[in-house]
Amino acid sequence: MRATETKTLPENRETPAGGSLKIYNPKDFPAYLPKLNQLFDDLFSGGKGFRAKLIQMMATELGLEQRCERLLAQTIEFIHNASLLHDDLIDGSPLRRGKTAAWRAYTPEYAVLAGDYLLARVMVNLSSYGNIRLVQYTSEVISDLLEGEWLQDSLVGDFDIDLSQLDRVHNLKTASLFKWCLRAPFLAISRNEPSLHTILEEMGTLLGQLFQRGDDLLDFNVRNDEGKAVMGDLQAGYLNSFGVFAAKESDRTQLKTCKTLTQFYHCVGGETIFWKKVSDFDEQNKFLIQLYRHHVTNLEKYLLPEEKHLLKKLEPLTDILYWRKSERRG
Amino acid sequence: MGELKTIAKSDPAFSSYLLGTFSKDDRAISVKSLNVATAAETVTFEIIPLAEIKAPFFLRKWALTLKIKNYFLLYFPMFLIISKNLMDNVPFDPRLALWSLLAATFLFAAMNLRNDFRDHLSGLDRIHPDSGSRAIQKGWITAHQAKNLSTAFAVLGIACALPAVIGLPELLLVIGVIALLAIFGLSVYPHGLKYRLWTEGFAFLLLGPLLTVGFQMAIGAPFDLESVFLGIITGWLAVYIVHLKNFEAIMVNNQAGFTNSVGIMGFEKGKRLMAVWWISLLVLIDVYHWIYNSLFWTVSFIVISLALSWALLKYLRTLTSPVASTFKIALDRCRQLGIFMIYLWILENISYLLVIELASR
């Protein structure tokens, strides 16, 4: 029976499509619910699995046992994918990872239930590990994520929003998962010092903010090597962080009719000004990168000698998340 | 970008950075954090040369640092007391009135600066987006300077209050009540009273009955019920402003675990609380006018109250999310309605005083 199967950690395997620790084992889901399994098969194929890789990196350097590493990687992927299921439905996004989004391929009801199911699995699997602090923290992160989702929905059609308000939403919605990736491996080995977690929390916040801002730039076709759809946010009525920054001195009412990049250039005063704004935005974010690196340096005193290699792995993350340099190049 | 430095609270150098006494040429600006619920065992500072600190011109800088825009909460009740006495021909000592006004001004400035200092020490100004004047956060002054200035203003305030206290020792009772409230409040909330339930009661008494009755006595006028009534109105108005401030920060306060009426009631019920608070404020003003003032102004206030209440309810209806752009705008408008009522009342009293002056000629 399903319930007894999950008392121990599932035997996860690496997904060939992801080529990473983005773990999904069909046995982890009830065999008598074929549609749910089919939905998860679709959902878990593709994607970069960045968060799971981050867990893998942390786990390796902290010497976590493989069972724990898999549990954490699975947890973050389940939470992330649950949020995507809900997110696509809320945003009305027709595509996810180049395929029809779950709510359209199945039904909105199935998408909601599948997302809820993943979050429930997270709690079942994590609680079987027996670290109550980790379970509590994970629950907090899930509630932060949902709060962020809730708040972000209230911003659709709001073109007068300011960056500090958006940062608060992104801290809940995006950064919470990065914070979890950094803090959970330490909690899993009962390294609970408040000072250590303050630093990790700040680092996660900065990574989340930088990732979100980098992602928002892709929407305006800046450093968009991954070929993300352009102007999707504005077309959906959502002014993202770069949009807010670039349109700071512009007539915001014009943004409502902005559907193409050319129209956006016009809104902010021309293409030259647009690129100047990109440069200013980068300059502002360089402070966040500097702050992140400063925290990485400070992390050193909390690490054991054999863990210090972690610092070299953590430092270049901003290159990947904000500057969108490929991991190989990075 | 300045150099970054993270210092643990246990570090002996910590307080010198927090107070800003570590250097004469640099400012240590504590970096803001979005993580309100994290125990801040360490603080990260950006070290910026003093020459690079951007501050507005002198007068604006000090107006913002001392939060001059909030002084109406102090001067308005005092104006009502003075004008009431003039209209009713109640004798009072103008010199004592001036000393008391100065004393209250200095003590209010001392309190504001002390608040900023405490916010900085407790870390509240690193997590709260709009807490205090932010003069320390922006590097205009150091926390140490804020504390010293606060002490200097407090001493000046006490010195200015002396003539009134010597003339009327009963005033010590009012001062004692205020001191007791502050001591008790700070013993319950050692990191400060801001955004707490306690502040609402404290603001009501301090900017309400204690201020009006205390001022009435300090200027040598006899105690009367009208001063108490005026105090209830101005205290109610002060709490209305506090509710608006708490509503504006509902998200951060909630995440940080600060308890106040708006936070306890939640977003939708909090809106209702503000509507009820505003309407009861207007009822109090209208009843006061009906008892003490002319029919013309009573009717005028009732008509204007109805119009302003309609406007307030309209603004409150637009509040749907704590992060929406309309949120701050709507709350600012609710605040402006309160200020409009004050202007109207000032206009009324000035018109009375002009009529009395003209009649006496």
Side-chain angles (χ1 to χ4, degrees):
Chain A
M1 293 294 289
R2 179 80 223 125
T4 49
E5 277 173 10
T6 53
K7 273 185 182 168
T8 54
L9 277 175
E11 284 183 18
N12 299 306
R13 63 175 167 79
E14 293 185 2
T15 311
S20 67
L21 255 174
K22 193 162 70 56
I23 300 151
Y24 162 53
N25 187 338
K27 284 182 189 168
D28 201 27
F29 302 107
Y32 50 85
L33 295 175
K35 200 168 260 186
L36 184 71
N37 280 289
Q38 202 184 336
L39 189 153
F40 286 140
D41 280 338
D42 288 346
L43 181 69
F44 281 86
S45 58
K48 292 188 284 290
F50 178 81
R51 291 159 191 82
K53 284 180 189 167
L54 185 53
I55 287 289
Q56 186 183 34
M57 186 186 91
M58 297 286 295
T60 307
E61 300 304 328
L62 294 176
L64 261 65
E65 58 183 50
Q66 208 174 18
R67 172 177 171 260
C68 179
E69 178 186 323
R70 283 179 177 167
L71 168 71
L72 297 183
Q74 185 194 47
T75 298
I76 198 65
E77 281 303 309
F78 277 18
I79 297 174
H80 176 55
N81 281 286
S83 78
L84 296 182
L85 284 169
H86 292 161
D87 207 17
D88 287 343
L89 174 60
I90 293 166
D91 297 346
S93 309
L95 295 173
R96 169 60 58 189
R97 291 167 184 157
K99 290 187 290 186
T100 308
W103 69 275
R104 286 193 82 171
Y106 300 87
T107 61
E109 291 85 350
Y110 278 128
V112 170
L113 289 173
D116 291 350
Y117 188 79
L118 282 177
L119 296 177
R121 297 300 322 157
V122 162
M123 285 302 133
V124 171
N125 293 344
L126 264 189
S127 53
S128 70
Y129 186 67
N131 183 329
I132 190 69
R133 184 70 195 89
L134 186 59
V135 176
Q136 187 200 356
Y137 175 53
T138 307
S139 313
E140 284 168 11
V141 163
I142 293 171
S143 74
D144 279 354
L145 193 72
L146 296 174
E147 277 180 35
E149 191 75 69
W150 196 278
L151 286 170
Q152 191 175 33
D153 191 50
S154 70
L155 298 182
V156 176
D158 190 343
F159 293 95
D160 294 307
I161 184 83
D162 67 53
L163 202 52
S164 64
Q165 298 291 70
L166 266 185
D167 281 345
R168 292 205 171 271
V169 177
H170 293 154
N171 187 42
L172 290 168
K173 189 173 176 272
T174 313
S176 54
L177 292 186
F178 285 96
K179 289 188 240 182
W180 192 91
C181 289
L182 298 179
R183 288 182 64 186
F186 282 96
L187 291 174
I189 50 172
S190 299
R191 297 267 290 275
N192 302 336
E193 309 101 284
S195 306
L196 165 69
H197 283 274
T198 301
I199 291 183
L200 294 170
E201 186 89 350
E202 291 300 326
M203 283 168 60
T205 295
L206 292 164
L207 283 182
Q209 250 181 304
L210 288 164
F211 169 77
Q212 187 63 57
R213 290 184 180 189
D215 202 57
D216 290 348
L217 280 168
L218 300 183
D219 205 58
F220 291 95
N221 213 22
V222 178
R223 296 189 280 271
N224 190 8
D225 295 340
E226 46 201 278
K228 191 189 165 188
V230 174
M231 296 295 283
D233 287 342
L234 260 185
Q235 282 166 10
Y238 172 67
L239 189 62
N240 70 27
S241 62
F242 178 69
V244 170
F245 182 86
K248 202 174 172 184
E249 289 115 28
S250 311
D251 176 10
R252 301 268 182 120
T253 50
Q254 278 188 23
L255 293 171
K256 289 177 187 168
T257 52
C258 256
K259 299 293 172 207
T260 65
L261 204 49
T262 316
Q263 285 172 337
F264 188 76
Y265 291 157
H266 178 71
C267 280
V268 298
E271 194 175 346
T272 315
I273 293 176
F274 172 86
W275 286 106
K276 170 80 173 64
K277 302 256 183 191
V278 171
S279 164
D280 292 345
F281 192 60
D282 284 345
E283 206 54 46
Q284 185 176 310
N285 291 325
K286 277 179 191 168
F287 176 72
L288 299 185
I289 293 170
Q290 188 199 1
L291 191 56
Y292 171 78
R293 292 196 168 156
H294 170 76
H295 288 314
V296 172
T297 313
N298 278 317
L299 186 64
E300 187 178 3
K301 56 176 166 280
Y302 298 98
L303 300 178
L304 301 171
E306 63 271 24
E307 296 167 350
K308 295 206 171 166
H309 192 60
L310 177 64
L311 301 173
K312 283 189 183 146
K313 298 268 181 76
L314 285 171
E315 203 177 273
L317 286 182
T318 50
D319 289 341
I320 301 165
L321 294 175
Y322 184 73
W323 299 111
R324 302 285 161 153
K325 291 176 185 167
S326 77
E327 287 164 75
R328 276 182 200 142
R329 272 185 282 150
Chain B
M1 283 181 277
E3 180 205 347
L4 293 166
K5 204 169 175 76
T6 297
I7 307 179
K9 283 182 178 172
S10 55
D11 192 313
F14 180 76
S15 63
S16 69
Y17 277 86
L18 202 62
L19 292 171
T21 53
F22 73 103
S23 161
K24 283 182 180 169
D25 306 319
D26 299 307
R27 285 270 196 272
I29 309 294
S30 45
V31 176
K32 274 190 276 182
S33 174
L34 291 167
N35 297 311
V36 297
T38 312
E41 293 300 317
T42 57
V43 177
T44 301
F45 298 97
E46 187 183 2
I47 312 297
I48 299 178
L50 201 52
E52 287 177 22
I53 299 285
K54 287 175 193 154
F57 71 97
F58 182 82
L59 280 179
R60 185 169 160 72
K61 176 183 136 179
W62 284 104
L64 290 168
T65 303
L66 297 172
K67 287 182 261 186
I68 295 291
K69 65 171 187 167
N70 289 342
Y71 279 65
F72 71 91
L73 291 168
L74 181 73
Y75 294 145
F76 176 59
M78 295 170 113
F79 169 79
L80 290 181
I81 293 293
I82 292 277
S83 51
K84 165 192 83 71
N85 288 331
L86 286 172
M87 286 184 285
D88 296 344
N89 229 358
V90 176
F92 66 90
D93 186 337
R95 275 175 307 174
L96 281 179
L98 186 66
W99 282 119
S100 304
L101 181 84
L102 282 172
T105 304
F106 285 132
L107 290 173
F108 199 64
M111 197 179 73
N112 281 334
L113 284 166
R114 185 64 61 156
N115 251 330
D116 279 1
F117 173 72
R118 291 188 73 90
D119 284 359
H120 189 65
L121 251 56
S122 66
L124 189 72
D125 63 356
R126 290 191 287 282
I127 59 166
H128 230 290
D130 297 310
S131 176
S133 69
R134 308 206 71 75
I136 302 173
Q137 274 287 299
K138 288 170 183 163
W140 300 347
I141 56 170
T142 64
H144 186 66
Q145 286 167 336
K147 186 188 165 197
N148 286 348
L149 263 176
S150 163
T151 310
F153 280 137
V155 170
L156 280 170
I158 291 165
C160 291
L162 279 178
V165 175
I166 291 166
L168 193 76
E170 291 92 324
L171 270 177
L172 284 172
L173 195 70
V174 176
I175 296 166
V177 170
I178 294 170
L180 269 179
L181 284 170
I183 291 164
F184 183 71
L186 287 171
S187 67
V188 178
Y189 305 110
H191 296 301
L193 303 173
K194 209 175 249 184
Y195 305 112
R196 311 283 190 177
L197 197 57
W198 184 263
T199 317
E200 295 164 24
F202 198 58
F204 174 76
L205 290 172
L206 202 64
L207 296 164
L210 286 179
L211 176 64
T212 52
V213 173
F215 187 61
Q216 172 81 354
M217 289 161 73
I219 61 177
F223 170 83
D224 58 8
L225 279 178
E226 192 178 347
S227 302
V228 180
F229 200 161
L230 284 173
I232 289 170
I233 294 172
T234 59
W236 206 263
L237 172 74
V239 179
Y240 170 71
I241 303 289
V242 170
H243 282 328
L244 287 175
K245 195 89 186 144
N246 288 339
F247 202 91
E248 201 178 317
I250 190 169
M251 187 174 156
V252 180
N253 281 342
N254 201 261
Q255 289 172 334
F258 295 157
T259 334
N260 51 51
S261 297
V262 169
I264 292 167
M265 298 184 88
F267 200 90
E268 284 304 320
K269 282 183 184 162
K271 278 161 62 175
R272 265 178 249 162
L273 170 77
M274 283 195 297
V276 169
W277 204 271
W278 168 257
I279 290 167
S280 43
L281 173 70
L282 296 183
V283 169
L284 282 170
I285 293 173
D286 293 339
V287 170
Y288 173 85
H289 277 80
W290 182 61
I291 297 172
Y292 295 105
N293 289 4
S294 72
L295 187 65
F296 168 76
W297 281 103
T298 306
V299 173
S300 303
F301 265 84
I302 289 172
V303 171
I304 290 165
S305 297
L306 289 172
L308 293 187
S309 299
W310 176 82
L312 182 107
L313 293 175
K314 194 181 84 175
Y315 295 145
L316 288 179
R317 264 198 293 272
T318 64
L319 299 176
T320 51
S321 160
V323 289
S325 59
T326 49
F327 187 66
K328 209 172 178 319
I329 297 167
L331 291 176
D332 277 345
R333 285 183 182 156
C334 291
R335 191 173 186 270
Q336 283 159 10
L337 291 181
I339 293 169
F340 178 79
M341 279 310 268
I342 291 176
Y343 282 142
L344 191 69
W345 204 339
I346 291 172
L347 181 74
E348 177 200 1
N349 283 11
I350 289 175
S351 73
Y352 274 132
L353 295 172
L354 280 174
V355 169
I356 292 168
E357 181 63 23
L358 288 172
S360 69
R361 286 180 188 179

